[in-house]
Amino acid sequence: MNRSARAFWLRSPGHGELRDVTLAAPSEGEVLVRALYSGVSRGTETLVFRGGVPESQRAVMRAPFQEGEFPGPVKYGYLSVGVVEEGPAPLIGRTVFCLYPHQTRYVVPVSAVTVVPEHVPPARAVLAGTIETAVNALWDAAPLVGDRIAVVGGGMIGCSVAALLARFPGVRLQLVDADPARAGTAEALGVGFAAPEDALGDCDLVVHASATEQGLTRALELLAPEGTVIELSWYGDRRVALPLGEAFHSRRLTVRSSQVGTVSPAARAGRGYADRLALALDLLGDPALDALITGESAFEELPEVLPRLASGEIPALCHRVSYGEAG
């Protein structure tokens, strides 16, 4: 059995490389996974690539199977789909999702992999981690039938939230973004689109995911009295200023954070991380979610591709990495 592998490492901020790895044979209770695809979420992962993780947040930002430390050298990533080559008999040959960095093969505990449902193509399953974030956000937001909702920020997370909200009956929903190119993505997801200056107000709920001060300010402006902003943006080491004077208090507005590192306390009692991820994978049976994958490159190209993703030269939501025969 081939136990050699190659992994993508951030050598230093802005500079990546591929490194050879020799894997140990899986022990009892472990599996050897051969990667098929992985995903680059342009928000968090490119922030890591630029070296923008604040020192105070480096422990919180660690990925489950991260090696090294921020700002580098570090092996980072969390959207991997592969096939089990060694391990317990019921898992051999099964397609699984794992929160693992970009690597051609890896050994992890059985508990770290989730079987991808048969109705979900492996190439789409790289979205599981982001859809899981959206599930947690909506547990926190608790939208109601008939709510007036805006999602401000048409990046990977914002589009994922909008895609799930599009299934709620009776809601008035808009995806709000300054980039008119996001209108096509919104249409593919079955969601209305508006530029920030044209967005409908009097919202009961606004989900903010633009990671900009202007976006969060606009999110507050769109609220009806007693409305709530669910803040999903990760600002890294940047500070933001907000208009918390003016009508913020008289309109009794709320800003609440949501973060996938903890299962929302609003979830049904007893639901844990595994339940949340399994739900996200099941939701990926919807072909409309393919609109969230906006590009693909080979694993060997990652050292050249990630700088272009981080700079915005390659505009992307989720950029998919294909492993082919990489080994």
Side-chain angles (χ1 to χ4, degrees), residues 103-173:
Q103 185 165 310
T104 58
R105 282 183 173 84
Y106 47 89
V107 175
V108 293
V110 169
S111 60
V113 300
T114 302
V115 173
V116 175
E118 292 186 2
H119 67 280
V120 177
R124 191 186 304 148
V126 295
L127 297 170
T130 309
I131 297 298
E132 183 181 11
T133 300
V135 167
N136 205 63
L138 293 182
W139 282 348
D140 279 331
L144 298 176
V145 173
D147 270 358
R148 299 159 295 181
I149 305 174
V151 177
V152 176
M156 183 64 183
I157 298 297
C159 284
S160 298
V161 171
L164 298 190
L165 280 169
R167 304 173 181 212
F168 277 68
V171 299
R172 189 197 77 188
L173 175 63

Side-chain angles (χ1 to χ4, degrees), residues 99 111-115 132 139 263 270-281:
L99 297 169
S111 60
V113 300
T114 302
V115 173
E132 183 181 11
W139 282 348
V263 175
R271 285 193 176 178
Y273 294 99
D275 303 290
R276 189 177 64 185
L277 180 55
L279 173 59
L281 279 163

Side-chain angles (χ1 to χ4, degrees), residues 181-311:
R182 288 288 177 259
T185 305
E187 182 179 5
L189 296 173
V191 177
F193 177 82
E197 63 273 17
D198 298 324
L200 297 173
D202 289 323
C203 291
D204 305 293
L205 170 68
V206 177
V207 178
H208 178 243
S210 81
T212 67
E213 182 177 304
Q214 297 88 344
L216 183 51
T217 297
R218 186 60 176 140
L220 287 168
E221 292 171 347
L222 294 176
L223 287 176
E226 305 276 354
T228 297
V229 168
I230 297 294
E231 176 59 278
L232 285 177
S233 299
W234 169 244
Y235 297 93
D237 53 4
R238 291 177 293 135
R239 292 180 177 270
V240 297
L242 290 179
L244 299 185
E246 302 178 3
F248 179 79
H249 287 280
S250 63
R251 295 171 63 214
R252 297 178 55 84
L253 305 181
T254 299
V255 179
R256 291 183 54 205
S257 65
S258 178
Q259 208 276 339
V260 74
T262 301
V263 175
S264 169
R268 295 293 183 188
R271 285 193 176 178
Y273 294 99
D275 303 290
R276 189 177 64 185
L277 180 55
L279 173 59
L281 279 163
D282 185 64
L283 291 170
L284 282 168
D286 184 354
L289 294 171
D290 285 332
L292 302 178
I293 299 172
T294 51
E296 182 173 299
S297 59
F299 168 74
E300 293 85 354
E301 299 174 303
L302 264 179
E304 292 75 41
V305 167
L306 258 172
R308 297 172 65 199
L309 287 168
S311 69

